[in-house]
Amino acid sequence: MTTFSWLQIGLYLFVLLLLVKPLGSYMAHVYEGERTFLTPVIRPIERLIYRIVGLRADEEMDWKTYAVAMLLFNLVGLLLLYGLQRLQSALPLNPQDLGAVRPDTAFDTAVSFVTNTNWQSYSGETTMSYLVQMFGLTVQNFLSAATGMAILIALVRGFVRHSGNTIGNFWTDMTR
């Protein structure tokens, strides 16, 4: 490796260590529902989302309910992504007039994007339409990472509240 490469790694580690405390503190406040500098902007949007889906943010879940909510959420995401791929020939934003993705490839891709492994056995522009890439794969990239963060927060709460019965609310954690 060159000297410049080592300097880049050093700078990256320096910036990372510099940001650990403020970003960690900010994320802790966000996931605990405490006020942050973005609260006046974000909280009304959060409340609107809760009202639309009929969610009460103050309702806590035990670990079983949290796990079922997470599994159902990801199952719906898997089925929607699979369906988008299988129906892409009949959907808009398909200027190349690509046909439906084969069932095995669609299933493998849907599972890999829902589980955040993003394994791809296809060439994106010759297999997936713009709609599938934008509203399927890109959205699932975000949601699978958000699910992982929500589960991590639940795990931390489980350790902190070791004598409690609840670990938070999956839907609230996903929103935040």
Side-chain angles (χ1 to χ4, degrees):
M1 283 194 359
T2 66
T3 303
F4 186 71
S5 298
W6 284 108
L7 286 173
Q8 282 182 316
I9 292 170
L11 178 64
Y12 172 76
L13 290 174
F14 175 75
V15 171
L16 183 67
L17 290 173
L18 194 67
L19 294 175
V20 163
K21 184 73 172 165
L23 284 178
S25 176
Y26 173 76
M27 293 304 294
H29 289 298
V30 166
Y31 279 110
E32 288 302 314
E34 298 170 1
R35 185 170 176 77
T36 66
F37 69 95
L38 288 175
T39 299
V41 176
I42 300 296
R43 192 59 50 95
I45 297 167
E46 191 176 297
R47 274 193 237 116
L48 177 66
I49 292 170
Y50 295 157
R51 192 174 311 123
I52 289 169
V53 298
L55 175 71
R56 289 195 41 190
D58 57 346
E59 283 183 11
E60 294 266 327
M61 298 177 172
D62 64 0
W63 72 269
K64 293 175 213 148
T65 307
Y66 200 100
V68 167
M70 183 272 301
L71 290 171
L72 287 174
F73 178 76
N74 284 296
L75 177 64
V76 168
L78 182 135
L79 295 173
L80 287 174
L81 184 53
Y82 179 82
L84 272 176
Q85 293 175 81
R86 294 293 294 143
L87 297 172
Q88 82 174 353
S89 62
L91 296 173
L93 296 176
N94 188 3
Q96 295 95 348
D97 200 28
L98 299 170
V101 178
R102 288 189 354 239
D104 58 332
T105 303
F107 182 75
D108 285 346
T109 303
V111 168
S112 74
F113 275 80
V114 167
T115 60
N116 204 18
T117 53
N118 301 351
W119 181 80
Q120 298 175 12
S121 65
Y122 58 88
S123 177
E125 287 76 26
T126 61
T127 308
M128 304 288 179
S129 69
Y130 295 151
L131 180 88
V132 171
Q133 290 184 57
M134 288 187 306
F135 294 117
L137 304 180
T138 303
V139 168
Q140 204 52 57
N141 270 335
F142 172 79
L143 293 177
S144 63
T147 300
M149 289 178 65
I151 296 300
L152 178 62
I153 293 302
L155 179 66
V156 169
R157 285 189 193 124
F159 287 136
V160 170
R161 304 175 184 178
H162 56 78
S163 61
N165 295 329
T166 61
I167 57 171
N169 185 313
F170 174 74
W171 307 111
T172 303
D173 291 344
M174 281 296 292
T175 305
R176 292 182 178 160

